[in-house]
Amino acid sequence: DAKTTQPPSMDCAEGRAANLPCNHSTISGNEYVYWYRQIHSQGPQYIIHGLKNNETNEMASLIITEDRKSSTLILPHATLRDTAVYYCIVRARPYNQGGKLIFGQGTELSVKP
Amino acid sequence: DADVTQTPRNRITKTGKRIMLECSQTKGHDRMYWYRQDPGLGLRLIYYSFDVKDINKGEISDGYSVSRQAQAKFSLSLESAIPNQTALYFCATSVASLLAGGPPEQFFGPGTRLTVL
């Protein structure tokens, strides 16, 4: 699975959009980009995933660059409850080791009033 | 009610004791996983199971064993606990595959905080 690089921390004002970048310059053609978040020692929570097209669901939007070497997770109206560590993960299909999720260090997002 | 539950939520034990962590799910998923999380190291896969008859080692299985008693239950055992097994343990589940493509997302339990003295 391709390695990802994320900034260690970011701040965002409540009500504003939070844009979390992820670099995955070594991504290959069959690898998907997944985002999870972990709120203070709770179990990680799936947010969204995509291959090459932009994706949107009730939680967030995922923008993947045309060359697929980077992506941005967008929380359109951040709330205090969105304060968490956000993990960008790249996984292939078919995938190795039973779908092991390789969690890097992630980005610690702090949403401030 | 939570879809993935873990018991106990917190446990303090002594070196050399046998410990069992339990995971139950009501999602009807075939696949179940055990991870541990240490500060600064992210989550690491211990064991995973694709169905009741299929058990596989993850990247850090030494010192651990598992049992898949039923589709809904997956237990993790520490036969003789040691202090460096102090960690936050998570169980997760997933379906086998997604019709729309991509590896299926995993759904995590609330975690068990284990301390080995």
Side-chain angles (χ1 to χ4, degrees):
Chain A
D1 293 338
K3 186 175 180 179
T4 62
T5 304
Q6 299 175 253
S9 64
M10 292 182 62
D11 290 340
C12 178
E14 189 177 18
R16 298 282 193 169
N19 297 283
L20 292 90
C22 179
N23 181 286
H24 32 79
S25 58
T26 60
I27 195 170
S28 58
N30 66 343
E31 290 181 314
Y32 289 72
V33 180
Y34 278 71
W35 284 83
Y36 283 75
R37 73 180 182 183
Q38 186 174 24
I39 298 172
H40 188 56
S41 297
Q42 296 180 20
Q45 177 189 24
Y46 164 81
I47 301 173
I48 198 167
H49 77 278
L51 181 62
K52 53 184 178 181
N53 298 321
N54 298 337
E55 302 287 345
T56 296
N57 63 20
E58 65 278 5
M59 290 183 68
S61 295
L62 175 61
I63 308 298
I64 302 174
T65 58
E66 191 169 346
D67 63 7
R68 304 208 322 121
K69 293 184 177 182
S70 66
S71 60
T72 301
L73 178 74
I74 301 172
L75 308 178
H77 305 287
T79 71
L80 298 179
R81 288 175 294 180
D82 292 321
T83 293
V85 179
Y86 287 78
Y87 297 97
C88 171
I89 299 167
V90 174
R91 297 175 67 198
R93 181 188 188 199
Y95 49 100
N96 298 323
Q97 295 195 32
K100 177 179 70 172
L101 291 173
I102 301 175
F103 286 81
Q105 298 304 305
T107 296
E108 186 168 4
L109 175 68
S110 295
V111 180
K112 301 182 183 300
Chain B
D1 288 337
D3 295 318
V4 184
T5 57
Q6 294 183 232
T7 56
R9 294 295 311 279
N10 290 281
R11 181 72 184 267
I12 299 174
T13 190
K14 295 182 179 180
T15 298
K17 294 291 187 180
R18 183 178 187 274
I19 295 297
M20 179 180 286
L21 308 183
E22 300 188 352
C23 177
S24 295
Q25 53 115 345
T26 58
K27 299 187 75 68
H29 290 170
D30 288 325
R31 298 186 171 187
M32 299 186 73
Y33 311 81
W34 274 105
Y35 292 86
R36 67 176 275 176
Q37 185 173 32
D38 299 276
L41 292 181
L43 278 76
R44 293 181 290 168
L45 184 65
I46 307 173
Y47 270 95
Y48 61 99
S49 169
F50 281 2
D51 62 39
V52 175
K53 298 179 181 180
D54 180 81
I55 303 289
N56 302 279
K57 292 182 177 180
E59 59 183 313
I60 54 164
S61 58
D62 288 348
Y64 301 95
S65 62
V66 291
S67 173
R68 186 81 183 267
Q69 302 96 319
Q71 186 203 38
K73 297 183 181 297
F74 193 34
S75 300
L76 176 71
S77 293
L78 288 67
E79 297 300 326
S80 180
I82 56 177
N84 76 0
Q85 291 178 313
T86 293
L88 192 52
Y89 289 84
F90 290 104
C91 173
T93 73
S94 76
V95 298
S97 63
L98 292 178
L99 293 176
E105 62 263 40
Q106 295 184 13
F107 296 86
F108 286 79
T112 293
R113 186 172 296 280
L114 176 66
T115 303
V116 183
L117 302 177

PDB file of all heavy atoms in Angstrom, chain A residues 50-64:
ATOM      1  N   GLY A  50     -12.442   7.088  -2.090  1.00  0.00           N
ATOM      2  CA  GLY A  50     -12.571   7.328  -3.523  1.00  0.00           C
ATOM      3  C   GLY A  50     -11.395   6.761  -4.285  1.00  0.00           C
ATOM      4  O   GLY A  50     -10.351   6.459  -3.707  1.00  0.00           O
ATOM      5  N   LEU A  51     -11.592   6.637  -5.601  1.00  0.00           N
ATOM      6  CA  LEU A  51     -10.531   6.115  -6.467  1.00  0.00           C
ATOM      7  C   LEU A  51      -9.921   7.246  -7.288  1.00  0.00           C
ATOM      8  O   LEU A  51      -8.727   7.489  -7.225  1.00  0.00           O
ATOM      9  CB  LEU A  51     -11.084   5.025  -7.381  1.00  0.00           C
ATOM     10  CG  LEU A  51     -10.089   4.373  -8.328  1.00  0.00           C
ATOM     11  CD1 LEU A  51      -8.983   3.669  -7.553  1.00  0.00           C
ATOM     12  CD2 LEU A  51     -10.799   3.401  -9.268  1.00  0.00           C
ATOM     13  N   LYS A  52     -10.723   7.909  -8.097  1.00  0.00           N
ATOM     14  CA  LYS A  52     -10.203   9.027  -8.877  1.00  0.00           C
ATOM     15  C   LYS A  52     -11.200  10.165  -9.021  1.00  0.00           C
ATOM     16  O   LYS A  52     -10.819  11.303  -9.265  1.00  0.00           O
ATOM     17  CB  LYS A  52      -9.748   8.563 -10.254  1.00  0.00           C
ATOM     18  CG  LYS A  52     -10.800   7.795 -11.034  1.00  0.00           C
ATOM     19  CD  LYS A  52     -10.193   7.294 -12.340  1.00  0.00           C
ATOM     20  CE  LYS A  52     -11.220   6.469 -13.131  1.00  0.00           C
ATOM     21  NZ  LYS A  52     -10.635   5.946 -14.391  1.00  0.00           N
ATOM     22  N   ASN A  53     -12.469   9.873  -8.855  1.00  0.00           N
ATOM     23  CA  ASN A  53     -13.476  10.921  -8.918  1.00  0.00           C
ATOM     24  C   ASN A  53     -13.693  11.531  -7.546  1.00  0.00           C
ATOM     25  O   ASN A  53     -13.468  10.899  -6.522  1.00  0.00           O
ATOM     26  CB  ASN A  53     -14.795  10.355  -9.424  1.00  0.00           C
ATOM     27  CG  ASN A  53     -14.677   9.803 -10.829  1.00  0.00           C
ATOM     28  OD1 ASN A  53     -14.000  10.384 -11.665  1.00  0.00           O
ATOM     29  ND2 ASN A  53     -15.323   8.688 -11.066  1.00  0.00           N
ATOM     30  N   ASN A  54     -14.120  12.771  -7.528  1.00  0.00           N
ATOM     31  CA  ASN A  54     -14.466  13.401  -6.268  1.00  0.00           C
ATOM     32  C   ASN A  54     -15.705  12.720  -5.692  1.00  0.00           C
ATOM     33  O   ASN A  54     -16.586  12.284  -6.425  1.00  0.00           O
ATOM     34  CB  ASN A  54     -14.710  14.894  -6.470  1.00  0.00           C
ATOM     35  CG  ASN A  54     -13.472  15.602  -6.976  1.00  0.00           C
ATOM     36  OD1 ASN A  54     -12.356  15.129  -6.792  1.00  0.00           O
ATOM     37  ND2 ASN A  54     -13.678  16.738  -7.622  1.00  0.00           N
ATOM     38  N   GLU A  55     -15.745  12.633  -4.391  1.00  0.00           N
ATOM     39  CA  GLU A  55     -16.840  11.959  -3.714  1.00  0.00           C
ATOM     40  C   GLU A  55     -17.406  12.850  -2.611  1.00  0.00           C
ATOM     41  O   GLU A  55     -16.675  13.650  -2.015  1.00  0.00           O
ATOM     42  CB  GLU A  55     -16.375  10.638  -3.100  1.00  0.00           C
ATOM     43  CG  GLU A  55     -15.773   9.641  -4.067  1.00  0.00           C
ATOM     44  CD  GLU A  55     -16.798   8.988  -4.976  1.00  0.00           C
ATOM     45  OE1 GLU A  55     -18.014   9.080  -4.683  1.00  0.00           O
ATOM     46  OE2 GLU A  55     -16.376   8.385  -5.992  1.00  0.00           O
ATOM     47  N   THR A  56     -18.688  12.699  -2.368  1.00  0.00           N
ATOM     48  CA  THR A  56     -19.344  13.447  -1.290  1.00  0.00           C
ATOM     49  C   THR A  56     -20.336  12.538  -0.592  1.00  0.00           C
ATOM     50  O   THR A  56     -21.034  11.766  -1.244  1.00  0.00           O
ATOM     51  CB  THR A  56     -20.085  14.681  -1.846  1.00  0.00           C
ATOM     52  OG1 THR A  56     -19.131  15.581  -2.410  1.00  0.00           O
ATOM     53  CG2 THR A  56     -20.828  15.416  -0.736  1.00  0.00           C
ATOM     54  N   ASN A  57     -20.374  12.627   0.715  1.00  0.00           N
ATOM     55  CA  ASN A  57     -21.419  11.956   1.478  1.00  0.00           C
ATOM     56  C   ASN A  57     -21.903  12.909   2.571  1.00  0.00           C
ATOM     57  O   ASN A  57     -21.560  14.105   2.559  1.00  0.00           O
ATOM     58  CB  ASN A  57     -20.947  10.604   2.031  1.00  0.00           C
ATOM     59  CG  ASN A  57     -19.805  10.719   3.019  1.00  0.00           C
ATOM     60  OD1 ASN A  57     -19.580  11.790   3.589  1.00  0.00           O
ATOM     61  ND2 ASN A  57     -19.085   9.635   3.211  1.00  0.00           N
ATOM     62  N   GLU A  58     -22.671  12.384   3.490  1.00  0.00           N
ATOM     63  CA  GLU A  58     -23.268  13.249   4.507  1.00  0.00           C
ATOM     64  C   GLU A  58     -22.239  13.804   5.485  1.00  0.00           C
ATOM     65  O   GLU A  58     -22.526  14.764   6.200  1.00  0.00           O
ATOM     66  CB  GLU A  58     -24.358  12.494   5.268  1.00  0.00           C
ATOM     67  CG  GLU A  58     -23.859  11.323   6.087  1.00  0.00           C
ATOM     68  CD  GLU A  58     -23.655  10.067   5.271  1.00  0.00           C
ATOM     69  OE1 GLU A  58     -23.817  10.105   4.034  1.00  0.00           O
ATOM     70  OE2 GLU A  58     -23.335   9.025   5.878  1.00  0.00           O
ATOM     71  N   MET A  59     -21.081  13.217   5.521  1.00  0.00           N
ATOM     72  CA  MET A  59     -20.060  13.674   6.462  1.00  0.00           C
ATOM     73  C   MET A  59     -19.065  14.646   5.842  1.00  0.00           C
ATOM     74  O   MET A  59     -18.626  15.600   6.500  1.00  0.00           O
ATOM     75  CB  MET A  59     -19.283  12.486   7.029  1.00  0.00           C
ATOM     76  CG  MET A  59     -20.059  11.595   7.970  1.00  0.00           C
ATOM     77  SD  MET A  59     -19.022  10.288   8.640  1.00  0.00           S
ATOM     78  CE  MET A  59     -17.900  11.228   9.673  1.00  0.00           C
ATOM     79  N   ALA A  60     -18.657  14.372   4.600  1.00  0.00           N
ATOM     80  CA  ALA A  60     -17.540  15.125   4.043  1.00  0.00           C
ATOM     81  C   ALA A  60     -17.503  15.005   2.526  1.00  0.00           C
ATOM     82  O   ALA A  60     -18.271  14.249   1.929  1.00  0.00           O
ATOM     83  CB  ALA A  60     -16.233  14.591   4.627  1.00  0.00           C
ATOM     84  N   SER A  61     -16.557  15.748   1.945  1.00  0.00           N
ATOM     85  CA  SER A  61     -16.247  15.623   0.522  1.00  0.00           C
ATOM     86  C   SER A  61     -14.787  15.255   0.378  1.00  0.00           C
ATOM     87  O   SER A  61     -13.952  15.646   1.201  1.00  0.00           O
ATOM     88  CB  SER A  61     -16.508  16.944  -0.218  1.00  0.00           C
ATOM     89  OG  SER A  61     -17.877  17.258  -0.196  1.00  0.00           O
ATOM     90  N   LEU A  62     -14.502  14.492  -0.655  1.00  0.00           N
ATOM     91  CA  LEU A  62     -13.142  14.072  -0.950  1.00  0.00           C
ATOM     92  C   LEU A  62     -12.791  14.551  -2.349  1.00  0.00           C
ATOM     93  O   LEU A  62     -13.478  14.205  -3.313  1.00  0.00           O
ATOM     94  CB  LEU A  62     -13.014  12.549  -0.856  1.00  0.00           C
ATOM     95  CG  LEU A  62     -11.676  11.937  -1.258  1.00  0.00           C
ATOM     96  CD1 LEU A  62     -10.548  12.459  -0.376  1.00  0.00           C
ATOM     97  CD2 LEU A  62     -11.743  10.411  -1.202  1.00  0.00           C
ATOM     98  N   ILE A  63     -11.735  15.361  -2.418  1.00  0.00           N
ATOM     99  CA  ILE A  63     -11.253  15.864  -3.698  1.00  0.00           C
ATOM    100  C   ILE A  63      -9.920  15.194  -3.996  1.00  0.00           C
ATOM    101  O   ILE A  63      -8.981  15.298  -3.208  1.00  0.00           O
ATOM    102  CB  ILE A  63     -11.060  17.398  -3.663  1.00  0.00           C
ATOM    103  CG1 ILE A  63     -12.338  18.078  -3.167  1.00  0.00           C
ATOM    104  CG2 ILE A  63     -10.652  17.902  -5.038  1.00  0.00           C
ATOM    105  CD1 ILE A  63     -13.542  17.855  -4.041  1.00  0.00           C
ATOM    106  N   ILE A  64      -9.833  14.489  -5.114  1.00  0.00           N
ATOM    107  CA  ILE A  64      -8.611  13.805  -5.524  1.00  0.00           C
ATOM    108  C   ILE A  64      -8.078  14.499  -6.765  1.00  0.00           C
ATOM    109  O   ILE A  64      -8.817  14.715  -7.726  1.00  0.00           O
ATOM    110  CB  ILE A  64      -8.887  12.316  -5.811  1.00  0.00           C
ATOM    111  CG1 ILE A  64      -9.485  11.642  -4.565  1.00  0.00           C
ATOM    112  CG2 ILE A  64      -7.605  11.600  -6.238  1.00  0.00           C
ATOM    113  CD1 ILE A  64      -9.919  10.198  -4.792  1.00  0.00           C
TER     114      ILE A  64
END
